[in-house]
Amino acid sequence: AMLLYAINTNDSSAIAHVKKHCDRWVNGDEAKKIDGGLRWLSNWGCLRYANTAAFISTVASDTILKSEADKYTEFAETQVNYALGDNPLKQSYVVGFGDKYPQNPHHRTAHGSWKNDLKIPDKTRHILYGALVGGPNEDGSYNDDRQDFINNEVATDYNAGFTAMLCKMVDKYGGKT
């Protein structure tokens, strides 16, 4: 909301507020910078926070923070690329993307249990293409286990900032479905 306000009003205090927010993410003050460059804020959906901050930073760098665009763009691309597999584990955190992606997202319908049991069946029956899972632990480790719902949860708010960031990347670099 503050970013939209700053863009629409060009209010200097709103711009300063957005800049402070973006700088705290870029510098690692808001969230711990873990190996591979991900800004890790919380166990629950660390990738959603990092990718939403990335999207806000790129929109800000296109509009009200143009003079420092390179700094914000580099940060943003690091976050989205980490989620796509540019990380120490070479692990994509997007179901169905890359050579090594989550096989067991915490999602009832994708799992397809006929007994309403997380353990039955052992393997997920349906691929939930495009779902961003929560992501790694603070130490960068990741366990692909649907019962580890903290790291394997999927949700619309996890994908919102991530999808928006992907749109920015396609805008910049091109691409096709």
Side-chain angles (χ1 to χ4, degrees), residues 40-46 48-49 134-138 150-151 158:
W40 191 96
L41 182 66
S42 169
N43 285 4
W44 284 94
C46 66
R48 80 173 134 177
Y49 298 120
N137 294 304
E138 188 173 3
I150 292 173
N151 298 102
Y158 287 26

Side-chain angles (χ1 to χ4, degrees), residues 47-106:
L47 289 171
R48 80 173 134 177
Y49 298 120
N51 280 282
T52 299
F55 177 65
I56 290 169
S57 295
T58 59
V59 173
S61 73
D62 287 347
T63 55
I64 59 172
L65 302 176
K66 288 181 181 179
S67 64
E68 298 178 80
D70 290 345
K71 170 173 75 171
Y72 300 119
T73 300
E74 181 182 335
F75 156 73
E77 290 184 11
T78 298
Q79 304 315 293
V80 75
N81 287 334
Y82 189 102
L84 292 172
D86 186 11
N87 57 61
L89 298 177
K90 304 298 181 216
Q91 166 75 52
S92 164
Y93 294 97
V94 181
V95 177
F97 181 82
D99 296 327
K100 183 180 176 187
Y101 61 86
Q103 302 291 314
N104 298 293
H106 186 261

